[in-house]
Amino acid sequence: MRIIHYIPRTDTANTSVTEYVNCLVRSTARVAETYVITQKDLGSGAIMVRSRFLRKLKELQPDIVHVHAAWDSTAALIEHAARTHGYYTIVSVHGALAPEVMELAFFKHKLPRIIGYEFQMVRNCSAVVAVSEDDAKQVKQLGWKKRIITIPHPSLKLTNDDETQELIMSIYRQVLDTNYMARITDDEIKFIQECVRMALWPDDTQDKTEIKTEGLSFRRIYIYAHDNVITDLLMNGAQKLGIQMPTRPDVSAMPRFKVKQKHNTDINSYQKLNDAISAVIPGTKIEIGRTPAGATTYRTLCDVFQTLRFNDYDEDQFAEIIKKKGIGKFTARLLYQMQQLFGLELGYMPILPKK
């Protein structure tokens, strides 16, 4: 894992904050590739700061950008630049959103900054780190952010670097595991598809193509398989292909943030397709699953494929029902997917596939 800590400046007047930041940086440096960037490294002026920081991002390609600041326009600029270029950002506010701090020169200094950048930085980052339970409670009461994690100041809880290291790395992993779909690669998706395709056929008649496993993140692969209810198919297919899979983590026990479910326009069409299948293959019902993000699960598509490929039914009757239900185009697209992913033959399609 590669981490960038952005620290605007060392506050010599507040040794407690400096000690806490140093502890966090030390803790990540022990187990991850860690870089510290300060405002001095980036120069002055918004254009120069942004330009230099984007060059750093391109050079280092971090997994996480951890910003240690509040009420600092440059820190907000850094967070925005990282986030809008596809990097995950975490913000440590170091108690600066407490009521007593907010009230200091509120109308003169705080309100303009809230409107200008502070609210957006806290609202849009992947997670906010609080220094204590009280600090977390105060941030939560603002209503700006739900993803708030507490890493106690060592002097408050008498924690050592080992404990702090485990806490902060668990937050980084939680952010990455929650957003795994944004980082999953084409090779990882292809690996999953090949394993599932092999598992879906009842014998070994399918061609066993050699699949490369170098450079794949099996952590992401296992999370994807769990969310799409295809872990058993993944493992079965890998075994048929002779692939030695690494130890599978307990994905259900992984701490992940709750994600907002997107509206799924296909659910209604899947339900109509399910009714059509039940009409021509009595007693058959496809379970229409949804991932945490709201998408239809890969398992649903697999079940539809197995039902249409390995059952005898009246295809003309099925095509007529599909037409009456108004899901002809939807089914044609689904059949095209099954043709590409699983090798469904044209002779087993009640209607012609459509890309």
Side-chain angles (χ1 to χ4, degrees):
M1 193 181 295
R2 192 172 295 161
I3 312 297
I4 287 179
H5 288 276
Y6 175 73
I7 308 166
R9 64 189 67 81
T10 302
D11 189 355
T12 55
N14 193 338
T15 56
S16 177
V17 171
T18 302
E19 175 192 345
Y20 179 66
V21 173
N22 288 339
C23 176
L24 296 183
V25 173
R26 273 199 320 271
S27 298
T28 56
R30 297 168 70 187
V31 290
E33 197 174 329
T34 303
Y35 302 89
V36 176
I37 297 177
T38 67
Q39 187 170 349
K40 187 182 292 186
D41 299 321
L42 302 176
S44 59
I47 295 177
M48 180 184 291
V49 168
R50 182 180 174 84
S51 175
R52 289 186 176 181
F53 183 67
L54 289 178
R55 281 203 295 269
K56 286 284 188 183
L57 286 177
K58 188 175 181 179
E59 173 191 344
L60 301 176
Q61 295 289 308
D63 295 293
I64 299 286
V65 176
H66 193 152
V67 176
H68 298 267
W71 310 114
D72 185 286
S73 59
T74 303
L77 177 64
I78 294 300
E79 190 279 332
H80 182 270
R83 174 166 42 82
T84 54
H85 280 77
Y87 297 92
Y88 302 119
T89 59
I90 291 177
V91 176
S92 285
V93 293
H94 302 293
L97 298 182
E100 60 271 20
V101 179
M102 296 275 283
E103 291 170 3
L104 292 173
F106 178 79
F107 291 103
K108 185 177 181 180
H109 294 297
K110 297 298 191 303
L111 184 58
R113 295 177 186 184
I114 290 172
I115 296 171
Y117 55 80
E118 187 68 19
F119 173 78
Q120 292 298 329
M121 179 172 73
V122 174
R123 179 86 166 182
N124 294 319
C125 67
S126 296
V128 169
V129 177
V131 72
S132 67
E133 292 300 331
D134 286 341
D135 187 23
K137 191 179 296 184
Q138 290 165 348
V139 176
K140 188 175 181 180
Q141 286 174 345
L142 283 174
W144 294 3
K145 191 73 178 175
K146 292 182 179 179
R147 296 179 177 183
I148 306 166
I149 303 293
T150 302
I151 300 181
H153 193 298
S155 63
L156 294 176
K157 294 290 184 179
L158 301 178
T159 53
N160 55 37
D161 280 6
D162 288 333
E163 293 169 304
T164 303
Q165 169 193 307
E166 182 54 36
L167 278 171
I168 194 168
M169 294 307 294
S170 68
I171 292 172
Y172 294 160
R173 285 192 295 269
Q174 187 172 354
V175 168
L176 295 176
D177 290 344
T178 300
N179 300 283
Y180 72 96
M181 278 303 295
R183 299 175 71 83
I184 199 165
T185 65
D186 291 340
D187 287 340
E188 288 159 6
I189 291 293
K190 184 179 179 181
F191 175 84
I192 294 166
Q193 291 172 347
E194 289 298 327
C195 289
V196 170
R197 174 178 174 145
M198 184 57 63
L200 288 176
W201 292 90
D203 52 42
D204 294 331
T205 57
Q206 291 290 296
D207 293 332
K208 294 183 180 180
T209 56
E210 184 178 350
I211 303 177
K212 295 182 180 179
T213 59
E214 294 84 1
L216 303 183
S217 168
F218 281 93
R219 187 179 182 92
R220 285 196 292 263
I221 288 171
Y222 282 136
I223 296 174
Y224 180 96
H226 173 271
D227 286 358
N228 283 275
V229 204
I230 55 169
T231 301
D232 57 332
L233 297 176
L234 173 73
M235 302 304 289
N236 181 271
Q239 185 179 19
K240 283 186 176 182
L241 290 165
I243 297 171
Q244 186 66 37
M245 296 288 279
T247 303
R248 187 168 81 246
D250 184 359
V251 178
S252 61
M254 285 182 182
R256 289 192 282 166
F257 295 115
K258 186 177 180 180
V259 295
K260 184 177 180 181
Q261 282 208 349
K262 295 180 180 178
H263 180 62
N264 190 332
T265 57
D266 287 340
I267 290 294
N268 188 45
S269 296
Y270 267 108
Q271 290 170 341
K272 291 179 179 179
L273 178 63
N274 202 355
D275 293 339
I277 288 173
S278 297
V280 295
I281 311 175
T284 302
K285 186 176 182 181
I286 306 298
E287 184 176 344
I288 305 168
R290 300 181 71 178
T291 68
T296 309
T297 61
Y298 202 152
R299 187 57 179 247
T300 303
L301 185 63
C302 294
D303 290 346
V304 172
F305 162 73
Q306 287 190 303
T307 300
L308 297 182
R309 176 60 178 78
F310 302 110
N311 281 282
D312 292 324
Y313 62 94
D314 188 329
E315 293 188 10
D316 292 333
Q317 181 190 2
F318 186 63
E320 186 64 28
I321 295 173
I322 287 172
K323 183 178 179 181
K324 287 180 179 179
K325 288 183 175 293
I327 54 169
K329 290 183 179 179
F330 169 81
T331 306
R333 291 197 302 267
L334 213 60
L335 290 170
Y336 177 81
Q337 281 186 284
M338 290 188 281
Q339 183 184 53
Q340 299 299 307
L341 294 174
F342 312 131
L344 180 64
E345 308 95 326
L346 283 172
Y348 289 89
M349 297 186 184
I351 61 175
L352 290 176
K354 183 176 182 180
K355 188 174 181 180

